[in-house]
Amino acid sequence: MTRIVDLLASGRTFSFEFFPPKTDGAQLSLGRTIAELEPLDPSFVSVTYGAGGSTRQRTHEVVSWVRRETAITPMAHLTCAGHRRPEVAQILEAYREAGIDNILALGGDQPADEADRRPSDYRYAAELVEDVRAAGPFSIGVAAHPEGHPRSPSRAEDRRQLAAKLARADFAITQFFFERDHYVRLVDEVAALGVTKPILPGIMPVTNKGQVVRMAELSGTAFPGWLAERLDAVEEPEDVRRVGVAVATELCRELLDAGAPGLHFYTLNRSSATREIYANLGLPVAAA
Ligand code: FAD
């Protein structure tokens, strides 16, 4: 049994996030990405959970595959959106049977298309944390939003709700952001509310500006002018990647210097940017 709360207690963690592939081809490509990242000896990898339902079973399949076929510790994301309590109980039972010890308990967002929406017994992620806790000895993570969640009326309110949720969980992982101070302020403000559990910063290397700008808009993340300028100063996709990797490396250094308990990379199911950042940071890589 490898619980992320125990890994965090024994030192910094370096982890990667994937989404479940929709096709067999994408599944093969994800398998390749995971094989390429395995020599980096990640502390854990996590697999997202779809709002619509079609990829939900695939989350279970991917985390179970990682558990069976690799030496990496997996974590399954699970959302409140579209779930009744008995369904959640079944999903958690299946994870226990598959030897999955780590769950990221999330609010989730309802699908944009109303026809895909399903009723939920949950309103907030904190309620799901309670049910996961009651279901077994899972290590439980939650989401944190350094610049505030888009639905929060204020940053202060966002921090109060996060502190209450994190007090019941084991650790948090943040939404991506581009400036160190957003993270430091989050950690300080939650600590001022009496909660000092580990908060892992989420890192999104920009390898495609348009794609990340869209994701930033949806998640309430500011895309800073200085970053847009640096990316706009280059034209070739390879140069955009190079700038994105350099900027992410610098942010990682600043976060580690600020005392972050680890780094969690949003890989978008590709390995090369993360591998380059690892190399830039001088983190150990096992021989292939
Ligand atoms: P909550 O904690 O429920 O918070 C949602 C909003 O409600 C916030 O504004 C909060 O301040 C407010 N709130 C919370 N509790 C209360 C309360 N008691 N009273 C009043 N207001 C309250 N989405 C997916 O669909 N699948 C994924 O796999 C996924 N993975 C993610 C991984 C990470 C690391 C992060 C940061 C986000 C992820 N998301 C994922 C997105 C996430 O589901 C959305 O951001 C969602 O809108 C909010 O999730 P939450 O867990 O923060 O929700």
Side-chain angles (χ1 to χ4, degrees):
M1 171 176 265
T2 308
R3 300 172 81 237
I4 292 169
V5 65
D6 299 328
L7 297 176
L8 283 161
S10 58
R12 277 189 166 139
T13 61
F14 295 91
S15 49
F16 309 135
E17 181 170 311
F18 305 111
F19 55 85
K22 288 202 172 97
T23 62
D24 290 344
Q27 183 122 5
L28 273 178
S29 148
L30 176 60
R32 231 178 0 254
T33 297
I34 294 177
E36 286 164 357
L37 289 171
E38 204 171 0
L40 274 49
D41 196 17
S43 312
F44 66 92
V45 298
S46 79
V47 183
T48 64
Y49 194 70
S54 57
T55 64
R56 289 181 160 183
Q57 182 55 26
R58 291 225 178 210
T59 300
H60 181 97
E61 287 163 13
V62 175
V63 288
S64 303
W65 180 85
V66 170
R67 172 79 173 80
R68 274 194 324 270
E69 305 293 336
T70 76
I72 310 172
T73 296
M75 172 167 72
H77 295 207
L78 184 60
T79 64
C80 297
H83 272 313
R84 297 293 197 188
R85 284 203 149 83
E87 278 172 342
V88 164
Q90 274 176 10
I91 291 168
L92 293 171
E93 180 59 29
Y95 279 135
R96 285 190 61 183
E97 282 169 11
I100 306 301
D101 304 321
N102 303 287
I103 301 286
L104 192 67
L106 298 149
D109 295 309
Q110 285 288 353
D113 191 342
E114 211 152 319
D116 290 337
R117 294 189 185 172
R118 293 192 291 170
S120 172
D121 284 341
Y122 301 90
R123 184 131 187 237
Y124 299 114
E127 298 158 25
L128 183 58
V129 170
E130 296 297 333
D131 280 7
V132 179
R133 188 64 83 208
F138 292 107
S139 181
I140 306 172
V142 292
H145 306 273
E147 295 167 72
H149 184 268
R151 288 199 296 275
S152 285
S154 67
R155 204 174 76 227
E157 174 64 6
D158 190 73
R159 300 304 197 237
R160 271 194 294 278
Q161 299 300 350
L162 171 60
K165 174 173 76 169
L166 184 52
R168 308 288 299 149
D170 296 317
F171 62 95
I173 302 181
T174 77
Q175 189 52 271
F176 69 89
F177 58 95
F178 296 105
E179 291 175 336
R180 164 200 175 275
D181 290 357
H182 291 305
Y183 173 77
V184 172
R185 188 172 61 185
L186 167 77
V187 172
D188 288 350
E189 289 176 350
V190 172
L193 295 168
V195 179
T196 54
K197 295 199 175 153
I199 300 180
L200 290 167
I203 307 296
M204 174 77 79
V206 182
T207 54
N208 173 327
K209 184 182 163 210
Q211 182 189 32
V212 178
V213 164
R214 274 193 304 282
M215 289 193 280
E217 275 167 13
L218 289 174
S219 65
T221 299
F223 197 88
W226 60 263
L227 178 54
E229 272 172 33
R230 279 184 69 176
L231 291 165
D232 289 343
V234 293
E235 272 173 20
E236 297 301 320
E238 190 41 43
D239 293 330
V240 170
R241 251 183 58 79
R242 185 176 43 74
V243 171
V245 165
V247 166
T249 302
E250 190 50 33
L251 178 61
C252 290
R253 278 205 189 98
E254 291 176 356
L255 292 167
L256 293 174
D257 287 349
L263 300 169
H264 182 76
F265 292 93
Y266 293 103
T267 67
L268 303 181
N269 288 12
R270 289 188 292 269
S271 73
S272 54
T274 311
R275 284 188 288 140
E276 284 172 45
I277 296 168
Y278 248 63
N280 293 344
L281 292 172
L283 293 169
V285 177

